[in-house]
Amino acid sequence: PISPVVEREYERLDEDMEKGIRSLEEMTADYETVLDILYVDRSTHLYLCQDYSAQGFEKMFYYLDSYFQNIMLVQNDIQKICIYSTNPTLPQDRWYFFPQDAFPKNMYLKVMQKNGAADFLGVWKEDRARYFMFGCLMNYYSAGNICNIMTIQVKSEAFENLLGEASEESRSL
């Protein structure tokens, strides 16, 4: 038989674990919501699918840069928002815009299986830092033969802090 004290500690541990899982789910839901908003934004879609071979892309860049910067101000754990595109006329600055063939194959398959739904794609390593990558296929509006994938990179510290808090609570037992 388990003593009442040990039983209460197990119950407290279960509650703490459930609280940690809920916090993690809430945190990932915030990032998926950001992608959902971008997913249905018609202006973003039109800019990403436009042919820039006969015109400049300054207006598009200004719109997306200010839009992304505002998102990152509100969700300050987001390090970067990227677009991987098959549109050959988009700039490829390798900050916001990348050719789609630069997107990791394992993440590409996951994005395609989700068919527009935002999802956690995995851990991304860049410049000795680790980020949690979320992404979605931008297929809400028809894009002809252009395929765009939007990703957000979230600083790993955001999750490490959450996990650290859960660990501290467990150690206090």
Side-chain angles (χ1 to χ4, degrees), residues 11 13 17 33-34 41 48 66 99 111 126-127 131 148 155 157 164:
E11 288 172 6
L13 185 59
M17 222 161 34
T33 298
V34 167
D41 183 74
L48 294 178
S66 60
V111 164
E126 185 176 296
D127 299 329
Y131 303 98
N148 296 305
K155 299 171 190 170
E157 294 86 19

Side-chain angles (χ1 to χ4, degrees), residues 7 78 119 153:
E7 180 102 18
I78 296 176
D119 198 20
Q153 294 177 13

Side-chain angles (χ1 to χ4, degrees), residues 64-74 81 95-96:
L64 291 177
D65 182 51
S66 60
Y67 192 21
F68 293 169
Q69 291 299 323
N70 285 333
I71 289 169
M72 290 186 285
L73 280 173
V74 173
I81 300 173
W95 179 254
Y96 289 132

Side-chain angles (χ1 to χ4, degrees), residues 135-150:
C136 70
L137 178 64
M138 301 291 287
N139 65 347
Y140 186 73
Y141 301 101
S142 174
N145 61 351
I146 293 175
C147 180
N148 296 305
I149 296 171
M150 182 82 65

Side-chain angles (χ1 to χ4, degrees), residues 82-98:
C82 302
I83 299 140
Y84 294 84
S85 182
T86 59
N87 182 347
T89 67
L90 274 177
Q92 294 183 7
D93 62 358
R94 295 203 172 262
W95 179 254
Y96 289 132
F97 305 101
F98 295 83

Side-chain angles (χ1 to χ4, degrees), residues 16-165:
D16 288 346
M17 222 161 34
E18 286 178 24
K19 180 181 169 188
I21 289 169
R22 276 193 307 277
S23 295
L24 191 59
E25 288 172 345
E26 288 169 9
M27 188 177 228
T28 60
D30 289 345
Y31 305 126
E32 290 170 354
T33 298
V34 167
L35 283 168
D36 290 342
I37 291 167
L38 291 166
Y39 176 74
V40 296
D41 183 74
R42 184 126 177 102
S43 294
T44 298
H45 168 78
L46 292 173
Y47 279 127
L48 294 178
C49 295
Q50 192 163 339
D51 183 352
Y52 294 98
S53 56
Q55 64 184 5
F57 47 78
E58 293 79 13
K59 187 176 176 183
M60 175 271 303
F61 187 82
Y62 176 77
Y63 173 82
L64 291 177
D65 182 51
S66 60
Y67 192 21
F68 293 169
Q69 291 299 323
N70 285 333
I71 289 169
M72 290 186 285
L73 280 173
V74 173
Q75 289 286 340
N76 60 4
D77 291 330
I78 296 176
Q79 176 69 25
K80 198 170 175 182
I81 300 173
C82 302
I83 299 140
Y84 294 84
S85 182
T86 59
N87 182 347
T89 67
L90 274 177
Q92 294 183 7
D93 62 358
R94 295 203 172 262
W95 179 254
Y96 289 132
F97 305 101
F98 295 83
Q100 197 171 87
D101 59 6
F103 194 63
K105 295 284 185 235
N106 61 329
M107 292 183 184
Y108 175 83
L109 294 172
K110 194 168 187 179
V111 164
M112 290 305 177
Q113 288 172 345
K114 289 293 187 173
N115 194 27
D119 198 20
F120 171 69
L121 301 177
V123 177
W124 181 262
K125 293 178 185 173
E126 185 176 296
D127 299 329
R128 296 188 192 136
R130 289 180 313 156
Y131 303 98
F132 290 89
M133 177 94 78
F134 294 80
C136 70
L137 178 64
M138 301 291 287
N139 65 347
Y140 186 73
Y141 301 101
S142 174
N145 61 351
I146 293 175
C147 180
N148 296 305
I149 296 171
M150 182 82 65
T151 65
I152 57 174
Q153 294 177 13
V154 179
K155 299 171 190 170
S156 64
E157 294 86 19
F159 291 93
E160 290 166 1
N161 291 341
L162 177 66
L163 295 173
E165 289 170 13

